[in-house]
Amino acid sequence: MRPITKHILAAGVAAAALMGVNAASAQEVIKFAHVVAPNTPKGQGAEYFKKRAEEILGDKVKIEIYPNSQLFDDDKVLPAILRGDVQFGAPSLAKFGKWTKKLQVFDLPFLFKDMDAVSCFQDGEKGQELLNAMSGKGLTGVGYWHNGLKQLSANKPLRVPEDAAGQKFRIQSSDVIAAQFEAVDAVPQKMAFSETYSALQTGVVDGQENTWSNIYSKKFFEVQDYITESNHGLLDYMVVTSTKWWEGLDPEIRDGLTQAMNEASDYANGLSAELTAEQRQAVIDSGETEILQLSADDFAKWQTAMKPVWDEFSGDIGQDIIDAAAACN
Ligand code: LMR
């Protein structure tokens, strides 16, 4: 190669690097940040999305997954998506309160009797509309991923609502969940997921609510003497991206990512029941905590105590949305 040609090539590569483009392949580097461990439904869903996107699109994309709050806590990830620091996040549906009030529907206590009811609502007309609830804020929902139903844990047995009175519970950043604990005279404390284990360990809070998968993978069961199998609420996710970035993508890449995301959603949602059962059993087998089952009477007492929260939030959420969710039971 003649020196002059070499110089022109080198200048071209340098200019491409300055523009953030990989001259060899113009590869799209896509970051996906989340807060849970890899061995969870969301962790596995994200890995599956990476695998399928890279199989479908080859060198055109490189997907980087950042689990365990390595990059951002959930309250930071949405602004980071809008800035373009990361392209995908999947906060729990409880964490969108600053962006839209409508998604609060998912936090209403005792709204869904099981995960089939959740799927029915998410796949239905109202659930699909909610994927666009934040479009005015620049965020597009590209899918729902299951984790599961929440259980209550504490260092004292929680059998009836009165047992929770005066206890401090770590909660996700949701006003509905705060109201749910206030309804039983408990003291809710909003806190990042990444700080929960140490808050339980040091007694900053007395208890928490979470899914079997999160209780297992973050070892909350090691620092809680009792878990009440209450199934009183839902913890699921919306996978979100920046509307501007998504719509500006080369259509071939967007189609490939859409296919990979749809497959990852099916995969994660299929896996969640299996992981929930497996990790619930692992918590039981650990012998580190006692699992309490509620009698039908006691279950009804929690329901009666917490259900007034629905009325408090129905104006913000929309009664039509609540009705559509409740109709799935
Ligand atoms: C929590 O903060 O407890 C959960 O939202 C964490 C998660 O992403 O499952």
Side-chain angles (χ1 to χ4, degrees), residues 35-36 42 74 90-92 95 147 170 172 191-193 196 209-210 214 220 235 237:
V35 301
V36 294
K42 180 161 61 181
D74 279 330
S92 121
K95 294 180 178 166
N147 185 323
R170 175 272 166 174
Q172 305 174 79
M191 190 181 286
F193 186 56
T196 305
E209 54 157 31
N210 227 307
N214 284 349
F220 297 160
L235 199 161
Y237 308 107

Side-chain angles (χ1 to χ4, degrees), residues 197 215 219-225 288-289:
Y197 181 91
I215 290 171
K219 302 186 173 15
F220 297 160
F221 66 96
E222 290 180 358
V223 286
Q224 294 278 265
D225 293 339
E288 301 229 22
T289 186

